[in-house]
């Protein structure tokens, strides 16, 4: 064992303990040099005639160029969705709709490896995550909602569920395919049609999904996939013939959307930012808790709305937990997203890396103490060392604002009441985590914490049957489970 410059034990990077590179092959991923818009079942050129590049954030190389849709394209897509809704999809027997959705789910499974590689290339996340989490969970959402399509009378007993019409869906870059599945599957299972826009930096897996949808022979216009930047999203929000907006993204854009649809008949679900508290009590199994904390914040480079970015540790075990965390931090492998050994891949974009660096600087200026892993970073691409801050004041910006990167603040507490107050002292309320041996403490915490999801003795676990969504500035409405169905129907 060696000592690092931070004077902690260095277990894995000892020369004898280095892992040999284990890169996943790129050959399975067929990425076209250019992608058009998917409207009415066909790939069509954008009326702007403009395209933008999507790059691999791990090496800054261009992967493809993608159509930049303007308001005229959005109008075309909404018209296609409306026609498909009126003439085909809302009239089709639900069990027939389900067959298409099952088919899409199976095709996603068949092409899971290709999806995983493209997700890691385009977004920078480790292949282990895209392969073991994003893609299977996305396929599971299609399976789950396909199952509900012809059972809505059981989902909503004594009521009739009527679809809303055309849904405009806007998603972020942190879980591109999974967010597309969260949005599209419940919408079409309940008889709605869709215009979906992926994020500018990660459009490729949504476009692959469009190819599958075309191959699955889904009736034209039921799902339209439109690429572009913020203005394209705004054109969807402002289109008069959209009945529902489903948005996942930042609280700032969520507020703009809320203002834009005020006074219209558009329904909305907004899944916004977070600043989750992860709480370790002295009676917790500490090794498991430390592993859970590491998973909670460094999973997907901290690009997770529900990331456990604020750690609260009971004072009596603080020193032990901090030592274990620092030791574990030193063993995390930062690097090539396609390498199966990689724990932390590339930050999604240059802009996001700059935001994270800005917050790391703010933390130091605010007087917090910083600890970073001493690992080497690749020479090219956007990478960030996993970072811990101690001596953090509750009011400091790094403890209050969403950083959306691999940065953890650590504070201590003495009593349950104190930590509940601290955990709730945030404008957000998306998720939280509790680590303790005592069931009664778990129940007390889950009832008093104002967060949409509270994980106990685990973190970042997702399942299509569980609802997900926030309190306060983390948005409103729920996705997943039965709740996710009800967001796409009127009950009469
Ligand atoms: P973002 O900037 O709000 O972007 C989200 C989506 O909205 C992107 O497709 C974006 O397009 C589009 N957009 C930008 N400006 C718009 C406008 N004025 N009108 C309509 N659409 C617009 O968020 P992000 O930076 O991509 O994603 C990170 C944020 O998402 C974090 O705050 C995170 O917490 C949140 N998030 C929340 C959840 C949840 O379930 N609560 C899940 C994942 C992420 P461009 O990308 O092309 O700009
Ligand atoms: Mg990209």
């Amino acid at each position: 064992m060696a000592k690092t410059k931070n004077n902690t034990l260095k277990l894995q990077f000892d020369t004898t303990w280095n892992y040999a590179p284990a890169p996943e092959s790129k050959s399975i991923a067929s990425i076209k040099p250019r992608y058009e818009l998917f409207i009415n079942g066909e790939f069509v050129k954008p009326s702007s005639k403009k395209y933008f590049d999507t790059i691999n954030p791990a090496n800054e190389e261009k992967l493809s160029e993608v159509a930049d849709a303007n308001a005229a394209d959005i109008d075309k897509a909404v018209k296609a969705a409306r026609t498909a809704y009126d003439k085909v999809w809302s009239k089709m027997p639900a069990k027939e709709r389900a067959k298409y959705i099952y088919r899409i789910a199976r095709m996603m499974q068949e092409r899971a490896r290709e999806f995983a590689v493209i997700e890691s290339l385009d977004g920078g996340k480790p292949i282990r995550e895209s392969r073991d989490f994003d893609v299977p969970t996305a396929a599971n959402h299609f399976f789950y909602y396909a199952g509900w399509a012809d059972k809505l009378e059981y989902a909503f007993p004594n009521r009739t569920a009527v679809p809303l019409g055309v849904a405009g869906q806007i998603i972020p870059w942190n879980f591109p395919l999974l967010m597309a599945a969260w949005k599209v599957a419940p919408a079409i299972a309940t008889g709605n049609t869709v215009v979906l826009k992926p994020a500018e930096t990660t459009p490729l897996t949504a476009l692959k999904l469009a190819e599958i949808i075309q191959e699955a022979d889904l009736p034209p216009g039921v799902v339209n996939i439109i690429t572009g930047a913020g203005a394209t999203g705004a054109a969807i929000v402002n289109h008069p013939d959209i009945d529902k907006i489903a948005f996942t993204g930042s609280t700032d854009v969520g507020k703009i959307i809320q203002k834009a649809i005020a006074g219209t008949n558009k329904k909305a679900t907004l899944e916004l930012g977070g600043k989750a508290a992860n709480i370790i009590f002295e009676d917790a199994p500490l090794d498991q808790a430390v592993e859970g904390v590491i998973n909670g914040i460094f999973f997907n480079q901290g690009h997770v709305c529900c990331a456990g970015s604020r750690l609260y540790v009971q004072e009596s075990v603080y020193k032990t937990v901090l030592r274990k965390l620092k030791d574990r931090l030193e063993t995390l492998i930062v690097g090539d997203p396609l390498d199966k050994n990689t724990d932390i891949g590339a930050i999604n974009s240059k802009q996001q890396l700059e935001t994270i660096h800005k917050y790391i600087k703010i933390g130091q200026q605010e007087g917090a103490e910083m600890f970073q892993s001493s690992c080497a970073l690749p020479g090219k691409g956007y990478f960030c060392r996993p970072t811990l801050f101690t001596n953090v004041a509750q009011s400091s910006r790094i403890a209050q604002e969403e950083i959306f990167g691999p940065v953890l603040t650590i504070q201590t507490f003495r009593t349950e009441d104190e930590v509940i107050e601290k955990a709730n002292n945030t404008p957000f309320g998306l998720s939280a985590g509790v680590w303790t041996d005592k069931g009664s403490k778990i129940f007390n915490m889950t009832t008093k914490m104002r967060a949409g999801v509270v994980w106990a003795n685990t973190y970042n676990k997702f399942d299509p049957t569980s609802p997900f969504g926030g309190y306060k500035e983390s948005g409103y409405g729920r996705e997943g489970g039965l709740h996710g169905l009800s967001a796409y129907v009127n009950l009469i």
Side-chain angles (χ1 to χ4, degrees):
M1 284 188 207
K3 289 234 174 167
T4 68
K5 76 172 167 33
N6 293 310
N7 209 28
T8 56
L9 290 179
K10 188 177 177 184
L11 299 171
Q12 195 171 314
F13 290 108
D14 222 308
T15 42
T16 47
W17 282 92
N18 270 349
Y19 284 91
E24 175 73 49
S25 164
K26 283 187 225 175
S27 61
I28 189 156
S30 83
I31 298 178
K32 292 184 200 151
R34 173 181 273 197
Y35 284 91
E36 311 292 352
L37 304 171
F38 185 62
I39 299 178
N40 209 22
E42 285 173 8
F43 286 92
V44 296
K45 292 193 183 308
S47 39
S48 67
K49 299 193 173 65
K50 287 191 192 140
Y51 294 82
F52 60 91
D53 292 348
T54 186
I55 64 150
N56 176 352
N59 59 16
E60 300 165 56
E61 281 168 18
K62 175 175 166 179
L63 290 167
S64 180
E65 58 186 29
V66 177
D68 189 3
N70 63 16
D73 299 306
I74 299 298
D75 189 50
K76 220 194 274 176
V78 173
K79 285 203 170 99
R82 176 63 60 191
T83 307
Y85 176 76
D86 287 340
K87 303 224 161 109
V88 186
W89 200 242
S90 64
K91 300 224 166 82
M92 188 182 279
K95 67 175 197 304
E96 296 303 319
R97 287 203 302 256
K99 285 183 196 167
Y100 285 104
I101 306 170
Y102 276 124
R103 194 179 298 162
I104 294 168
R106 283 195 303 269
M107 290 169 77
M108 280 176 89
Q109 279 186 327
E110 280 157 18
R111 290 169 65 174
R113 266 191 68 206
E114 183 180 7
F115 269 111
V117 171
I118 295 175
E119 199 73 305
S120 285
L121 285 171
D122 202 17
K125 65 173 63 195
I127 186 73
R128 243 181 20 221
E129 267 166 38
S130 37
R131 183 195 64 191
D132 298 346
F133 176 69
D134 293 61
V135 178
T137 318
N140 284 348
H141 274 79
F142 278 98
F143 277 119
Y144 175 74
Y145 283 113
W148 274 122
D150 62 348
K151 301 175 195 69
L152 294 181
E153 72 262 39
Y154 301 103
F156 308 107
N158 305 318
R159 310 287 292 273
T160 306
V162 183
L164 301 175
V166 178
Q169 306 183 320
I170 302 166
I171 56 174
W173 41 260
N174 57 346
F175 293 94
L177 182 67
L178 181 57
M179 289 294 129
W182 275 30
K183 297 271 183 284
V184 172
I188 63 175
T190 43
N192 301 278
T193 57
V194 162
V195 177
L196 171 91
K197 186 194 98 66
E200 186 183 359
T201 55
T202 53
L204 294 183
T205 45
L207 291 161
K208 277 276 148 191
L209 178 62
E211 288 176 1
I212 280 190
I213 284 169
Q214 196 180 38
E215 279 174 44
D217 268 336
L218 190 75
V222 173
V223 174
N224 304 276
I225 296 182
I226 296 296
T227 44
T232 311
I236 295 178
V237 170
N238 293 321
H239 194 288
D241 202 28
I242 294 259
D243 299 296
K244 185 208 159 91
I245 296 292
F247 172 77
T248 298
S250 61
T251 297
D252 286 348
V253 175
K255 286 180 182 171
I256 295 173
I257 292 177
Q258 212 166 11
K259 279 190 197 139
I261 62 173
T264 72
N265 282 333
K266 289 173 190 165
K267 291 192 177 239
T269 38
L270 302 177
E271 302 280 359
L272 310 176
K275 190 75 185 174
N278 213 346
I279 299 165
I280 302 183
F281 285 98
E282 61 190 0
D283 56 11
L286 295 185
D287 287 324
Q288 278 154 268
V290 164
E291 205 49 41
V293 168
I294 293 279
N295 169 48
I297 180 66
F298 300 123
F299 168 65
N300 201 25
Q301 299 70 253
H303 296 339
V304 186
C305 49
C306 49
S309 50
R310 291 181 295 149
L311 174 63
Y312 292 96
V313 187
Q314 201 155 18
E315 219 168 71
S316 49
V317 291
Y318 173 69
K319 276 199 180 133
T320 316
V321 168
L322 189 61
R323 181 180 47 77
K324 284 176 186 286
L325 269 174
K326 286 180 175 176
D327 286 349
R328 182 69 179 97
L329 211 69
E330 284 293 351
T331 68
L332 291 175
I333 300 176
V334 183
D336 179 8
L338 281 190
D339 192 317
K340 290 164 206 143
N341 297 320
T342 295
D343 297 304
I344 301 182
I347 301 299
N348 183 263
S349 65
K350 189 166 180 232
Q351 194 191 357
Q352 186 58 24
L353 184 62
E354 283 166 4
T355 304
I356 298 167
H357 283 158
K358 180 190 86 182
Y359 275 107
I360 289 177
K361 216 181 209 165
I362 289 172
Q364 291 168 296
Q365 285 162 353
E366 285 177 328
E369 208 171 295
M370 185 177 79
F371 174 89
Q372 283 190 316
S373 151
S374 59
C375 61
L377 297 184
K380 260 186 126 188
Y382 313 132
F383 291 91
C384 180
R385 289 198 173 85
T387 305
L388 310 177
F389 278 106
T390 54
N391 278 333
V392 178
Q394 181 71 21
S395 57
S396 68
R397 287 185 65 189
I398 53 167
Q400 287 290 332
E401 297 174 21
E402 186 183 44
I403 301 174
F404 224 56
V407 181
L408 177 69
T409 62
I410 309 175
Q411 292 171 265
T412 58
F413 68 93
R414 289 185 183 170
T415 66
E416 261 175 82
D417 286 345
E418 180 192 346
V419 76
I420 289 166
E421 197 170 317
K422 282 181 167 167
N424 285 340
N425 178 2
T426 163
F428 299 106
L430 193 57
S431 59
V434 183
W435 298 84
T436 171
D437 210 19
K438 279 219 165 56
S440 58
K441 226 181 259 176
I442 292 172
F443 287 120
N444 185 35
M445 298 297 290
T446 48
T447 44
K448 292 189 180 149
M449 277 200 292
R450 300 196 64 210
V453 179
V454 182
W455 284 289
N457 295 327
T458 186
Y459 207 87
N460 272 344
K461 287 279 179 285
F462 292 90
D463 186 287
T465 64
S466 307
F468 184 83
Y471 279 63
K472 301 193 275 184
E473 291 205 3
S474 291
Y476 55 78
R478 295 290 179 266
E479 290 186 309
L482 268 179
H483 294 69
L485 277 181
S486 59
Y488 284 98
V489 293
N490 278 322
L491 295 177
I492 48 176

